[in-house]
């Protein structure tokens, strides 16, 4: 049985063809995500002292955390998803995404490693960030910064290894731009913006601490 | 011409045998590093307001930054170092290290990617950390934390890909423990300790800022 992926010489013995359409795969993911974001937005409106940016960040961290754990986690812990006789929704999703990057069906080592780190470490840490923002924890910014750096390092490894390995893993330019570049770009620009914001907040906290210090030393001397 | 690396089926056409001994390779690296650390320790003693821990950290960041740029940078930008007719010191060093991990001579994609990120981004950032500590910059802790996370993410990718790709890249248990585990372990436990320290300092700065805030709000009301 042949497969639709690139490069054509890729061997996928036992490949079971994709049965769901692109919209049957995208709609549940986008629909569920929208509901989740709406729910977090409404619930966070009842928390005390949260700015609109805090609430937007909570929506993002809930969305990205569940994507890491549920969607990417399924890939990590389901080797051979492409040859399952009765594929579930996630198996179908990864067969669809592989049209934009066949390293997923091929179970490329670097891709699997980045996905494993993302699903196991960054997923739970993203959900912790939702809680940290809601409860104004002192570790809120450094935690968000940590997850953003992990996501950015993961994207770097993901794109550089694709380049070094030949840059020929997509069925057509459409899938290259829509899946490989388009879908992943959200995990480049959003973490970049959040990391920059947290960096600035952290520097501001140290400047405030510095200003405060000579003052309290002065008070001690009185 | 055969090669000494594992696995034996690895193809390295044009391999030029190693000419320097292990001690001829280690002595210049360790000697230069020791001189560098001594120089930073002495010079930093003349900077105002630096604790002994700050000065030790400056030594570490100078050492690790130059290792990233000079040693790892040479690997990244010298493809085919193993077949050079007149190998330089760095070519010889990487041929020696490859006894503990043949993915270096084989120019494995994931290994090369991690080394490229380390040499190009983390190397210069480490040197910036030396300056940031010396001049008490407000970004000192978040910068050190950033580089530590990069080093730890790199080590994770390095070790996980080795495991997934068969875990058979060393000539003997000696090279496994001395090079693959031993040499790399410094870039696991030292960044872990520094990242934990910076995390705590950053949280403390936010707690101090929080304590300060109601007070200044109160003053504003007066």
């Amino acid at each position: 049985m042949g497969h639709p992926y690139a490069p054509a010489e890729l061997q996928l013995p036992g490949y079971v063809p994709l049965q769901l359409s692109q919209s049957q795969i995208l709609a549940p993911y986008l629909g569920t995500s929208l509901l989740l974001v709406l729910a977090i937005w409404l619930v966070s409106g009842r928390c005390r002292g949260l700015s609109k940016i805090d609430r937007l960040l909570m929506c993002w961290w809930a969305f990205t955390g569940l994507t890491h754990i549920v969607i990417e986690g399924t890939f990590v812990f389901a080797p051979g998803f492409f040859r399952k006789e009765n594929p579930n929704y996630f198996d179908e999703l990864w067969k669809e995404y592989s049209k934009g990057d066949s390293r997923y069906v091929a179970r490329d080592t670097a891709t699997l490693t980045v996905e494993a780190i993302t699903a196991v470490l960054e997923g739970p840490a993203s959900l912790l960030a939702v809680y940290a923002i809601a409860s104004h924890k002192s570790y809120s910014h450094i935690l968000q910064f940590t997850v953003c750096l992990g996501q950015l390092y993961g994207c770097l490894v993901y794109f550089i290894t694709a380049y070094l390995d030949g840059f020929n893993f997509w069925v057509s330019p459409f899938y290259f731009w829509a899946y490989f570049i388009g879908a992943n770009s959200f995990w480049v620009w959003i973490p970049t913006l959040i990391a920059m914001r947290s960096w600035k907040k952290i520097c501001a906290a140290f400047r405030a601490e510095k200003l405060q210090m000579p003052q309290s030393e002065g008070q001690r001397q009185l």
Side-chain angles (χ1 to χ4, degrees), chain A:
Chain A
M1 173 65 76
H3 64 71
Y5 305 109
E9 61 266 28
L10 179 66
Q11 294 296 318
L12 296 176
Y15 172 73
V16 173
L18 192 61
Q19 279 148 35
L20 299 183
S21 70
Q22 191 187 43
S23 54
Q24 283 175 319
I25 287 169
L26 275 180
Y29 177 49
L30 296 181
T32 313
S33 301
L34 200 68
L35 281 179
L36 174 78
V37 163
L38 256 172
I40 300 280
W41 179 260
L42 292 175
V43 171
S44 65
R46 304 188 148 264
C47 296
R48 213 171 49 86
L50 289 178
S51 69
K52 278 192 178 153
I53 290 180
D54 287 331
R55 291 169 64 198
L56 272 179
L57 285 171
M58 285 172 67
C59 293
W60 162 254
W61 287 119
F63 161 72
T64 194
L66 287 176
T67 297
H68 291 336
I69 295 171
V70 179
I71 307 277
E72 294 170 88
T74 314
F75 165 73
V76 172
F77 296 105
F81 63 89
F82 64 85
R83 53 173 178 257
K84 274 204 208 161
E85 287 294 340
N86 295 304
N88 62 34
Y89 169 76
F90 300 104
D91 302 324
E92 293 288 277
L93 182 147
W94 285 112
K95 285 196 276 187
E96 175 67 22
Y97 181 78
S98 294
K99 292 180 188 169
D101 188 349
S102 68
R103 297 181 298 166
Y104 281 81
V105 274
R107 223 164 173 75
D108 165 72
T109 305
T111 310
L112 177 59
T113 300
V114 168
E115 287 295 358
I117 296 172
T118 306
V120 173
L121 298 179
E122 291 159 28
S126 299
L127 297 187
L128 183 58
V130 179
Y131 165 77
I133 296 172
S135 41
H136 306 276
K137 292 289 181 195
S138 60
Y139 63 79
S140 173
H141 282 296
I142 186 67
L143 174 66
Q144 292 182 70
F145 185 81
T146 301
V147 186
C148 288
L149 272 196
Q151 292 170 325
L152 290 172
Y153 199 112
C155 286
L156 266 181
V157 172
Y158 181 69
F159 288 120
I160 297 176
T161 52
Y163 173 77
L164 292 174
D165 277 339
F167 224 55
N168 60 341
F169 304 108
W170 27 88
V171 171
S172 70
F174 170 78
Y175 290 103
F176 171 77
W177 290 107
Y179 292 2
F180 184 72
I181 299 292
N184 288 300
S185 66
F186 292 94
W187 282 271
V188 174
W189 66 266
I190 297 177
T192 302
L193 288 178
I194 301 177
M196 283 168 62
R197 177 176 181 266
S198 294
W199 177 290
K200 282 179 200 158
K201 296 262 182 196
I202 288 166
C203 291
F206 276 106
R207 278 195 300 270
E209 198 188 42
K210 220 180 200 172
L211 282 174
Q212 197 183 5
M213 253 163 27
Q215 200 184 332
S216 45
E217 271 168 27
Q219 286 173 343
R220 238 174 275 141
Q221 284 177 348
L222 287 175

